[in-house]
Every structure is written in C-alpha cells, then in structure tokens.
Amino acid sequence: MSPDVLPHEKLDRAVIFLGPPGAGKGTQAKELAHKFSVPHLSTGDMLREHVAHGTSLGQQAQPIMASGGLVPDSIVLRMVADRIDRPDCSRGFVFDGFPRTVTQAQWLGELLKQHGFKQPVVVHFVIDKGLLLRRITGRRMCKVGGEIYNIYERPTRVPGRCDNDGGELEQRPDDREEIVGPRLEAYEKQTAPLAAYYRRLNRLHDVDAALSVDEVSSKVLEIVRNAH
Ligand SMILES: [Zn+2]
C-alpha cells in the first residue's frame, strides 16, 4: 500500500465509502484521506471524541452508547454538521461508515450543498458473501507478536502456530461465524436501499473488493480523480 501524499491534487468534495464489515473499506478510506491530506471522518470516532470532551452532545450520547443502543439521528447529524464546519474540512473529507440510511444521505446531500461542495462520490465495495465470510472467519492472530494469518488464504506452516515465533494463534471472538453471519445480513438489509439511492443519483461507483489491497486502492483513486 502506498502511503504517498498527492500534494498537487485537490479533493474538493466528500467521498463516501460503503461496504460490508471486513471488506477493507476502513483501510482504503484512511489511505485516500491521507493521500489528499483531508480528514477521515467516522461517526464512531466523533462520538468517542464528544464523550471524552464531555460536550453536550457527548453527554446525551454517552448513556445510549453505554447501554449498547443506537445513537439517534438527532445527535449524529448535529455532530456531523459540527465536524464539517471545522476549517480542516474545507477541502473535502472522507466518510467511513456514514451515512447509513437514506434519510441521513438526503440530509448530508443538503448539508454539502449548503457548504458549496460538489456532489459526493460514493465508493461501493462489492464482494461475494462466501468469500468475505472466509476472509473474516479464517482470520487468526498470533498471541505473541500480533501477526495476522488466514487459515484459508495465508496459512501457517504448522497449523495453529505463528511462523515467526511459534506463538499460539487465536480467533477474535467477533470473527466467529455466528457473530459475522448476522452482522453481514444486517448490513445488507440496511445498505441495499442506500446503495440504490446513490445509484439513482448516479453517484455510486462499484469496486471489486475481492482484488488485492493495492488494486482496490488504485481503483478508488481512479474513481475519485474521474469524478465530475
Ligand atoms: Zn507471532
């Protein structure tokens, strides 16, 4: 993956990443933000920041988050509006995990217009569900050095043992099929109308997320550069 900054290119708009958990969306969103020297915005990070600073939005969100509930749009949207107003967003920004619903997308579209931004570009990560399940459920981490393996795609020489230090490999609880399966289904249900919405507006660009990280990265850059 190239960490290069593109000093002579401007973003001038919002780039939105849509994709299932585990498809590499977060990594790509961060890399793109770095290349264009614009903020990488995640509502999760924003919420944690508001809570840490004890702002009024943070104080409203904190008990909801603590009980595992979904923070309502009334809080999330104010937080996003507040964040976009900051000067570091004046040259565009990258959204990772927002918007999640058509309502949020419509609201964001209005907000971007008000701020004089061009239409957003939506990068849509498309990947076969079976392949994605293998990628996630096959993941194993070395307890000693933290190296990541995959029992299907990057197996170790000795099963269950790290190639570097012989450390025991473990699966993160969240990577188990009984957790991942329902999460992917929930994602599909939630995202299908959002993807359809952006496709109707001609803003949606599909990327084959089964490709290598570098290949996905160059596709993403091509989409953003050719955006009109
Ligand atoms: Zn190891």
Side-chain angles (χ1 to χ4, degrees), residues 41 46-47 49-50 53 55-58 74-89 93 95 107-108 111 115:
L41 305 182
M46 284 181 217
L47 278 166
E49 199 188 314
H50 276 272
H53 291 161
T55 66
S56 79
L57 286 175
S74 57
I75 295 177
V76 173
L77 300 185
R78 268 161 62 206
M79 220 173 46
V80 170
D82 186 73
R83 185 65 189 85
I84 289 176
D85 262 339
R86 287 197 221 162
D88 63 339
C89 283
F93 40 89
F95 263 124
W107 174 88
L108 179 66
L111 188 73
H115 280 72

Side-chain angles (χ1 to χ4, degrees), residues 9-16 36 84 89-93 95 108-122 198 203 224-228:
E9 288 187 68
K10 278 190 180 171
L11 191 58
D12 283 341
R13 68 172 85 228
V15 181
I16 295 164
F36 285 95
I84 289 176
C89 283
S90 63
R91 293 178 52 227
F93 40 89
F95 263 124
L108 179 66
E110 282 306 312
L111 188 73
L112 294 174
K113 242 187 250 170
Q114 283 169 21
H115 280 72
F117 282 110
K118 296 174 187 166
Q119 288 286 300
V121 177
V122 183
Y198 279 127
R203 304 316 306 165
V224 171
R225 279 177 169 156
N226 292 332
H228 49 80

Side-chain angles (χ1 to χ4, degrees), residues 62-163:
Q62 202 273 333
I64 303 168
M65 289 162 74
S67 67
L70 205 61
V71 178
D73 272 3
S74 57
I75 295 177
V76 173
L77 300 185
R78 268 161 62 206
M79 220 173 46
V80 170
D82 186 73
R83 185 65 189 85
I84 289 176
D85 262 339
R86 287 197 221 162
D88 63 339
C89 283
S90 63
R91 293 178 52 227
F93 40 89
V94 174
F95 263 124
D96 181 2
F98 181 87
R100 287 187 194 276
T101 63
V102 173
T103 309
Q104 289 182 345
Q106 288 168 332
W107 174 88
L108 179 66
E110 282 306 312
L111 188 73
L112 294 174
K113 242 187 250 170
Q114 283 169 21
H115 280 72
F117 282 110
K118 296 174 187 166
Q119 288 286 300
V121 177
V122 183
V123 180
H124 183 221
F125 280 47
V126 179
I127 186 166
D128 175 75
K129 199 175 155 193
L131 181 63
L132 186 56
L133 263 178
R134 271 165 57 103
R135 272 195 183 176
I136 302 173
T137 61
R139 203 148 57 188
R140 297 290 183 278
M141 196 175 84
C142 169
K143 278 184 169 178
V144 179
E147 297 92 336
I148 307 285
Y149 297 92
N150 188 296
I151 55 170
Y152 307 111
E153 292 166 6
R154 194 190 165 215
T156 49
R157 285 189 298 270
V158 180
R161 292 283 162 189
C162 175
D163 285 347

